[in-house]
Amino acid sequence: MGRFTLPRDLYHGKNALEALKTLKGKKAVVVVGGGSMKRFGFLDKVVSYLQEAGMEVKLFEGVEPDPSVETVMKGAAVMQEFEPDWIVSIGGGSPIDAAKAMWVFYEYPDTSFEDLITPFSFPTLRTKAKFCAIPSTSGTATEVTAFSVITDYHKGIKYPLADFNITPDVAIVDPALAETMPKKLTAHTGMDAFTHATEAYVSTMHCDYTDPLALHALKMINQYLVSSYNGDMDARAKMHDAQCLAGMAFSNALLGIVHSMAHKTGAAYSGGHIVHGCANAMYLPKVIRYNAKVEEAAERYAEIARFIGLKGETTAELVDALIARIQEMNKELDIPSCIKDYEGGIIDEKEFMEKLPSVAELAVGDACTGSNPRSIDPEQMAKLLKCCYYDEEVDF
């Protein structure tokens, strides 16, 4: 038996933010990030619309990129005191992911973070509040997914939390918010979305409900991402929809080892974080080459290539064309080809090699590994990560 879960309502298009006026409740906590939503006036609109709906509103501001366990617990404490019946989060993936985790600890204060690490083990939510997500970036699609990524900085590990309980009740996909993204963020989030759709399409959990969403998202991203990066706001609006479609696909089909690797390398090194979307963009060509050793996966990569208009006579030629297209997009988006070149070389080679065995083992144990189309062990994962560091060919 399969399952396909999406938000109860999804409002999209121009002025979709006004849908907040229709929410029914008495109190709302609004969870937001570092200030861009306030700077561009969107936070004031959210508060105003919620007040127009008859709600008392409290803000929880300052969620950091790659939100921490500590931030989650602080937010949950605010909610426990205020007792909202709506949790509304606006911004990039970070505040929305953080708010999802806060939601759990608000409703179940005695739960520990360790209790949530096992995928699909969450307690039943909506005993106290419902959840509304409003994305400002075009990549994570956390507004429609059953996932939240929280970082334990003491351990240097990003944890992908997964449970259909944290799929939002309401998603508001308003293109005006995406217009505020800087170029680099547009590139990274766009390639995150491309990776979501690709991994969903080849996942062992893919089905007839997820395949059309993944393929159409890939076609749109291939067509609009570079133009969006270069400032075309019509293309930016198309990307905001495309990333959401990709999210609908991967939330139900799950992901693969590109995300396992990105999760476990993101916060592992003292030189700095590897931004999630950029990590996905660098790793995806290598993982396609690795997975394509499995015939069924190769055929599905070939189907993606055909669908987005790439040329090739054989499955192998189409897989090559897909890899080449991703590398071409990365170049146009000023994304490096390997970890060694990331941000001018901030990830130290010696540290990378010293941590390689432990990072590889953690990546194999990541929640996304189980649905990858080709199995992998820690030794193979270490080889694959090494290829991603040095931009070496994957030949195993």
Side-chain angles (χ1 to χ4, degrees), residues 61-350:
E61 301 180 73
V63 175
E64 72 273 43
D66 300 313
S68 64
V69 176
E70 288 78 12
T71 295
V72 167
M73 296 308 182
K74 284 178 189 172
V78 168
M79 292 175 189
Q80 286 157 16
E81 184 178 341
F82 185 65
E83 297 184 335
D85 42 22
W86 275 98
I87 299 166
V88 177
S89 187
I90 179 171
S94 296
I96 298 174
D97 280 7
K100 285 179 175 180
M102 292 171 190
W103 187 16
V104 183
F105 293 107
Y106 165 44
E107 298 208 1
Y108 294 92
D110 295 332
T111 299
S112 73
F113 187 74
E114 286 67 30
D115 293 335
L116 306 182
I117 293 171
T118 303
F120 302 99
S121 62
F122 282 41
T124 300
L125 295 178
R126 296 166 182 82
T127 62
K128 296 179 182 177
K130 292 181 179 178
F131 193 99
C132 174
I134 310 163
S136 65
T137 60
S138 301
T140 70
T142 188
E143 73 275 8
V144 293
T145 74
F147 295 92
S148 164
V149 180
I150 305 299
T151 302
D152 185 328
Y153 285 92
H154 298 294
K155 296 179 180 177
I157 297 174
K158 286 186 178 183
Y159 289 104
L161 309 180
D163 197 285
F164 288 116
N165 269 289
I166 57 170
T167 305
D169 298 279
V170 175
I172 298 176
V173 184
D174 190 323
L177 280 72
E179 291 179 3
T180 65
M181 286 192 297
K183 284 189 79 168
K184 185 178 277 192
L185 185 60
T186 302
H188 292 170
T189 54
M191 287 308 296
D192 190 17
F194 194 92
T195 305
H196 289 155
T198 302
E199 291 209 291
Y201 194 71
V202 302
S203 160
T204 58
M205 299 292 287
H206 79 86
C207 68
D208 290 336
Y209 292 86
T210 60
D211 284 353
L213 292 163
L215 284 176
H216 191 60
L218 287 162
K219 192 171 191 176
M220 291 179 72
I221 297 165
N222 181 59
Q223 183 175 351
Y224 294 114
L225 175 53
V226 174
S227 297
S228 172
Y229 173 73
N230 289 323
D232 181 330
M233 290 305 161
D234 289 335
R236 188 80 54 101
K238 291 287 190 183
M239 277 299 303
H240 211 41
D241 288 336
Q243 64 86 31
C244 188
L245 295 172
M248 293 178 189
F250 91 78
S251 185
N252 292 280
L254 307 183
L255 292 163
I257 58 172
V258 178
H259 273 76
S260 303
M261 294 157 68
H263 291 149
K264 296 312 187 256
T265 56
Y269 309 109
S270 58
H273 279 209
I274 304 175
V275 174
H276 177 74
C278 187
N280 284 337
M282 293 189 293
Y283 305 164
L284 182 58
K286 305 299 183 189
V287 170
I288 291 175
R289 187 68 72 195
Y290 175 83
N291 285 341
K293 302 286 186 186
V294 173
E295 185 179 353
E296 185 182 347
E299 287 171 358
R300 291 187 72 78
Y301 288 129
E303 287 169 12
I304 291 172
R306 276 192 214 96
F307 193 81
I308 66 174
L310 304 180
K311 304 300 181 188
E313 295 295 323
T314 66
T315 295
E317 286 175 359
L318 286 161
V319 171
D320 288 345
L322 180 59
I323 291 170
R325 176 59 184 144
I326 294 164
Q327 292 169 333
E328 179 186 26
M329 281 197 295
N330 282 346
K331 193 170 183 179
E332 290 180 284
L333 298 168
D334 199 26
I335 290 172
S337 59
C338 62
I339 300 170
K340 189 175 183 181
D341 295 338
Y342 177 74
E343 293 291 319
I346 63 169
I347 307 302
D348 179 71
E349 182 178 8
K350 185 169 181 282

